[in-house]
């Protein structure tokens, strides 16, 4: 066994830190929570306005536009119908609003961070272990402080989702930028590209497929957090799953679980197809 | 055209480049003056001495060839002229301007106005059309879309790619891609053209075609061309003067004929041996053919 004499704890320090944070910065966190809540409500309001068949139509059209496959598009468009059929439509919309808000915030924060990570070596050096930590730290660990700082409900859910879903977009943005073929970069430099022109005209466009893969990943991870964040009171499909588990209602849990899967498939296929549109044309 | 045609000289004085293989070590210009240190570095694994005191002058309007095997430092040299690779020491003077002393912003302006470069691996942007690839340099310079597209169209016509402007590079063959690369360089209207093994990756027929094309264009434009190649026959066809590089040093400078006739050392001699044998063989063959026919139809 590990000798007891060598034990030392950082737990009290972390507790003190979080408590100090709550005491000193409550107004700050409240205003952040208010901001996120405004975005959430705006997005939710919009999502509610659209009628159910509007989603089915939109999914079908977007899918056909981006892939030109009729059968695949029809199947994809039918998936939201099943969610409604299970009676889970309002919950799906609530989950969707959390996902969209998280992904938007993840992109706003993640894209510039990714560019920075690719451009500045020291940033990459610091960020890499941090991202590893964000991805592997069990999410319950930060769900609790998130709840303490932001209260119950969807706002801490967005915050927790952000921590979980931010790494892929940062990583894949940086990866895409670093993977730009050297001859292309060299040619741009030879013709007098400034550093900013090199990023804007050459590196970002060429990194676009990778960046969009990051967006896709981030969305998928946000979706995975939907269920977990129901534990801190975010309503939606996750809550349905949670309730069914508590009541040992396997059938109801299955319906809710399938709805999460359908939502995931729809979002995944749409973002992937759109990513393909950005790949450099073959002809 | 206006001023550029009157200026296009390159003077390189005692240029050195030492690449460090270990991170954290860098070399200053004083290091290159220490002969024993250079020798030591050359042998060690920590550094690569890519250029050792290279000096030459390229006159305005001539085609100057740098020839050497891979690893002889010729790619490093051509990149140093634009400071795509930072030389360790030495001076580069282009059109009377000291390139080595330029600040970052001066360098950008210099690259935009004075020199255009053609690359072995084309360096085209896969997400832009052929037309926008050709106009890319002008765009970087800040020209409007209308203006640069019009000029790019003209340049495409010059290299025989009219009608291909809407395609993307992926749709083009290697030879056509390099024509795009050449058009992109020509459209800049710079007095100096750098070509880094532009035809090395192409098959022999296309290579010859593009060489002829360059010779034709050069007759019209009379630019200063700095041309890197490892192909002696290419050097002979294109060059007014040539320099042979070996292990980072220039071992001989002269007209191609001089180099073939009087190789400076064994290395150059081996280099030109094939060419001499081929010349003899061609002469014999031609003589035979002449006996057969009255006059052989010959395309040059």
């Amino acid at each position: 066994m590990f000798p007891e004499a060598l034990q030392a704890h950082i737990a009290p320090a972390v507790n003190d830190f979080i408590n100090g944070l709550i005491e000193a910065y409550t107004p700050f966190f409240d205003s952040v929570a208010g901001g996120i809540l405004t975005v959430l409500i705006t997005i939710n309001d919009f999502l509610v306005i659209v009628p159910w068949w509007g989603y089915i139509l939109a999914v079908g059209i977007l899918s056909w536009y981006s892939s030109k496959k009729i059968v695949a598009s029809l199947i994809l468009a039918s998936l939201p119908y099943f969610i409604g059929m299970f009676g889970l439509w309002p919950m799906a919309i609530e989950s969707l609003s959390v996902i969209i808000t998280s992904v938007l915030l993840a992109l706003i924060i993640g894209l510039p961070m990714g560019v920075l990570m690719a451009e500045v070596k020291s940033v990459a050096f610091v960020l890499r272990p941090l991202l590893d930590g964000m991805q592997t730290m069990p999410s319950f660990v930060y769900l609790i402080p998130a709840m303490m700082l932001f209260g119950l409900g969807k706002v801490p859910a967005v915050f927790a989702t952000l921590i979980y879903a931010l790494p892929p977009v940062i990583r894949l943005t940086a990866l895409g930028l670093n993977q730009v073929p050297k001859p292309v970069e060299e040619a741009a430099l030879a013709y007098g590209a400034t550093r900013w022109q090199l990023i804007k005209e050459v590196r970002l466009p060429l990194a676009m497929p990778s960046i969009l893969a990051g967006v896709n990943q981030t969305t998928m991870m946000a979706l995975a957090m939907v269920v977990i964040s129901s534990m801190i009171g975010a309503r939606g499909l996750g809550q349905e799953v949670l309730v069914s588990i508590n009541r040992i209602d396997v059938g109801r849990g299955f319906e809710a679980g399938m709805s999460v899967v359908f939502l995931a498939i729809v979002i995944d296929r749409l973002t992937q197809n759109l990513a393909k549109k950005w790949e450099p044309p073959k002809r | 055209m206006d001023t550029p045609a009157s200026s296009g000289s390159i003077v390189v004085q005692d240029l050195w480049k030492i690449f460090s293989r270990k991170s954290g070590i860098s070399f200053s210009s004083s290091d290159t003056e220490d002969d024993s240190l250079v020798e030591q570095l050359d042998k060690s694994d920590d550094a690569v001495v890519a250029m050792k005191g290279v000096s030459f002058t390229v006159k305005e309007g001539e085609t100057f060839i740098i020839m050497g095997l891979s690893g002889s430092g010729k790619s490093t040299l051509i990149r140093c002229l634009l400071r795509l690779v930072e030389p360790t020491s030495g001076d580069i003077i282009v059109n009377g301007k000291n390139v080595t002393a330029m600040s970052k912003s001066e360098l950008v302006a210099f690259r935009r106005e004075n020199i255009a470069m053609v690359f072995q691996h084309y360096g085209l942007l896969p997400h832009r059309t052929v037309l926008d690839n050709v106009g890319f340099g002008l765009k970087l310079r800040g020209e409007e879309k209308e203006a640069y597209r019009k000029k790019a169209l003209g340049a495409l016509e010059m290299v025989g790619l009219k009608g291909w402007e809407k395609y993307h590079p992926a749709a083009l063959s290697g030879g056509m891609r390099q024509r795009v690369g050449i058009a992109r360089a020509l459209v800049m209207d710079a007095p100096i053209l750098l070509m880094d093994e532009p035809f090395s990756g192409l098959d022999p027929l296309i290579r010859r075609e593009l060489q002829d094309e360059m010779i034709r264009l050069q007759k019209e434009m009379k630019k200063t061309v700095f041309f890197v190649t490892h192909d002696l026959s290419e050097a002979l066809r294109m060059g007014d003067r040539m320099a042979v590089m070996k292990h980072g040093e220039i071992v001989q400078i002269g007209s191609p004929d001089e180099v073939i006739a009087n190789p400076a050392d064994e290395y150059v001699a081996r280099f030109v041996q094939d060419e001499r044998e081929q010349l003899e063989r061609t002469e014999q063959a031609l003589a035979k053919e002449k006996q057969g026919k009255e006059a052989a139809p010959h395309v040059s």
Side-chain angles (χ1 to χ4, degrees):
Chain A
M1 288 294 276
F2 196 83
E4 214 162 291
L6 292 180
Q7 279 190 14
H9 290 282
I10 54 169
V14 174
N15 283 334
D16 289 348
F17 174 71
I18 294 293
N19 289 333
L21 222 55
I22 292 168
E23 268 168 36
Y25 294 103
T26 301
F28 169 73
F29 285 111
D30 281 351
S31 61
V32 171
I36 295 179
L37 198 63
T38 317
V39 178
L40 259 169
I41 290 173
T42 316
I43 289 174
N44 198 49
D45 283 351
F46 172 75
L47 292 179
V48 170
I49 291 173
V50 182
W52 66 273
W53 45 266
Y55 285 93
I56 292 178
L57 220 60
V59 170
I61 290 170
L62 268 178
S63 170
W64 187 81
Y65 163 78
S66 55
S67 73
K68 303 284 180 227
K69 288 176 189 153
I70 291 177
V71 179
S73 302
L74 284 177
I75 293 173
L76 207 62
S78 72
L79 293 182
Y81 176 83
F82 288 108
I83 299 177
M85 197 178 81
F86 295 149
L88 297 173
W89 192 269
M91 293 80 167
I93 296 296
E94 279 194 87
S95 290
L96 198 59
S97 67
V98 173
I99 292 164
I100 292 177
T101 310
S102 312
V103 169
L104 275 181
L105 287 175
L107 295 186
I108 291 168
I109 300 168
L111 289 177
M113 294 262 270
V115 174
L116 216 60
M117 189 171 164
E119 286 292 304
V120 189
K121 260 195 185 149
S122 52
V123 172
F125 185 77
V126 176
L127 217 51
R128 212 170 284 135
L130 198 68
L131 294 179
D132 289 337
M134 284 162 73
Q135 269 183 309
T136 45
M137 178 73 78
S139 40
F140 296 109
V141 174
Y142 49 81
L143 272 181
I144 302 160
M147 195 180 65
M148 288 162 79
L149 293 172
F150 297 112
L152 282 172
K154 283 182 188 158
V155 175
V158 166
F159 179 78
T161 307
L162 203 56
I163 290 182
Y164 188 60
L166 194 54
V169 73
I170 297 179
R171 255 192 243 273
L172 282 162
T173 301
L175 180 76
L177 289 172
N178 284 331
Q179 269 179 344
V180 172
K182 283 284 162 285
V184 181
E185 267 184 40
E186 200 174 40
L189 283 177
Y191 281 90
T194 59
R195 194 169 181 182
W196 171 237
Q197 278 178 324
L198 187 67
I199 294 177
K200 180 172 145 274
E201 303 285 343
V202 179
R203 298 182 68 188
L204 272 182
L206 288 189
M208 216 50 195
S210 178
I211 292 173
L212 288 171
V215 174
N216 172 278
Q217 285 286 304
T218 290
T219 318
M220 288 301 104
M221 299 194 65
L223 215 78
M225 274 300 277
V226 158
V227 177
I228 294 167
S229 58
S230 68
M231 293 185 152
I232 49 171
R235 285 180 302 170
L237 288 174
Q239 197 191 29
E240 246 342 85
V241 175
L242 198 66
V243 169
S244 329
I245 291 171
N246 288 339
R247 296 184 187 163
I248 324 185
D249 187 343
V250 179
R252 189 176 169 189
F254 185 74
E255 284 188 348
M258 283 311 281
S259 299
V260 175
V261 171
F262 290 157
L263 200 57
I265 291 177
V266 168
I267 296 175
D268 177 63
R269 296 299 183 275
L270 286 184
T271 47
Q272 263 191 33
N273 286 338
L274 290 175
K276 270 186 202 136
K277 284 242 138 187
W278 269 91
E279 271 169 24
K282 297 280 185 294
R283 298 246 114 216
Chain B
M1 287 293 174
D2 40 21
T3 44
S6 64
S7 54
S9 63
I10 306 172
V11 180
V12 169
Q13 285 161 350
D14 196 26
L15 201 65
W16 287 77
K17 176 64 192 178
I18 306 177
F19 286 106
S20 148
R21 273 195 185 151
K22 264 190 188 165
S23 58
I25 319 176
S26 59
F27 300 98
S28 64
S29 53
S30 59
D31 292 336
T32 59
E33 282 158 24
D34 185 346
D35 285 348
S36 62
L37 177 70
V38 167
E39 202 175 323
Q40 202 189 325
L41 283 172
D42 210 2
K43 279 179 187 149
S44 78
D45 287 336
D46 300 343
V48 179
V49 185
M51 277 194 308
K52 298 173 196 164
V54 169
S55 302
F56 59 86
T57 302
V58 181
K59 283 174 275 185
E60 177 198 323
E62 78 172 340
T63 301
F64 189 85
I65 310 270
I66 292 281
M67 209 184 67
L69 297 177
S70 41
S72 60
K74 52 194 198 308
S75 287
T76 307
L77 173 58
I78 199 170
R79 278 166 178 73
C80 277
L81 296 182
L82 272 177
R83 277 181 52 196
L84 290 172
V85 168
E86 284 293 335
T88 308
S89 76
D91 287 313
I92 300 163
I93 290 137
V94 175
N95 300 346
K97 283 174 257 180
N98 191 340
V99 181
T100 31
M102 283 179 185
S103 70
K104 260 199 180 139
S105 55
E106 284 173 325
L107 194 60
V108 165
F110 167 75
R111 287 169 176 168
R112 286 179 182 175
E113 299 297 334
N114 292 271
I115 293 187
M117 187 159 171
V118 180
F119 295 85
Q120 181 183 0
H121 299 292
Y122 325 124
L124 302 177
L125 299 165
H127 62 289
R128 284 174 196 261
T129 60
V130 164
L131 188 66
D132 285 342
N133 262 293
V134 174
F136 185 59
L138 299 173
K139 183 182 180 171
L140 291 177
R141 223 189 242 172
E143 291 193 20
E144 294 299 320
K145 201 172 221 168
E146 291 266 305
Y148 74 67
R149 283 199 164 160
K150 203 174 155 203
K151 286 188 198 170
L153 213 55
L156 273 176
E157 210 165 315
M158 265 168 85
V159 299
L161 278 183
K162 202 183 171 196
W164 288 89
E165 56 270 7
K166 292 230 158 41
Y167 287 82
H168 283 86
L172 273 55
S173 67
M176 288 161 84
R177 283 183 209 180
Q178 198 53 292
R179 282 173 191 267
V180 177
I182 292 170
R184 175 174 67 179
L186 295 182
V187 83
M188 299 300 284
D189 203 25
I192 298 173
L193 210 56
L194 303 184
M195 305 189 87
D196 179 26
E197 304 204 29
F199 310 137
S200 295
L202 307 174
D203 68 63
L205 291 180
I206 303 287
R207 189 186 310 161
R208 191 169 173 107
E209 205 179 293
L210 281 181
Q211 287 166 354
D212 289 339
E213 190 95 7
M214 267 319 290
I215 292 168
R216 176 180 70 78
L217 289 168
Q218 174 61 3
K219 265 189 197 140
E220 293 169 19
M221 300 178 309
K222 305 219 176 8
K223 287 182 189 297
T224 307
V225 180
F226 187 88
F227 196 108
V228 167
T229 181
H230 60 242
D231 179 356
L232 182 68
S233 58
E234 187 165 82
L236 298 180
R237 295 195 68 208
M238 314 272 305
D240 296 320
R241 281 195 312 143
M242 64 187 282
V244 183
M245 269 187 102
K246 171 192 164 190
H247 298 323
E249 286 170 293
I250 290 184
V251 286
Q252 189 171 10
I253 297 186
S255 76
D257 293 340
E258 276 166 28
V259 174
I260 289 202
N262 303 306
D265 66 4
E266 205 197 336
Y267 175 79
V268 184
R270 265 191 316 191
F271 225 118
V272 300
Q273 194 176 17
D274 276 356
E275 196 65 27
R276 292 173 89 158
E277 281 173 10
Q278 212 167 10
L279 270 177
E280 280 165 26
R281 235 180 297 143
T282 318
E283 271 164 21
Q284 285 168 7
L286 279 177
K288 258 187 206 163
E289 206 176 271
K290 243 182 195 167
Q291 285 172 358
K293 290 179 197 168
E294 270 280 300
H298 188 68
V299 189
S300 75

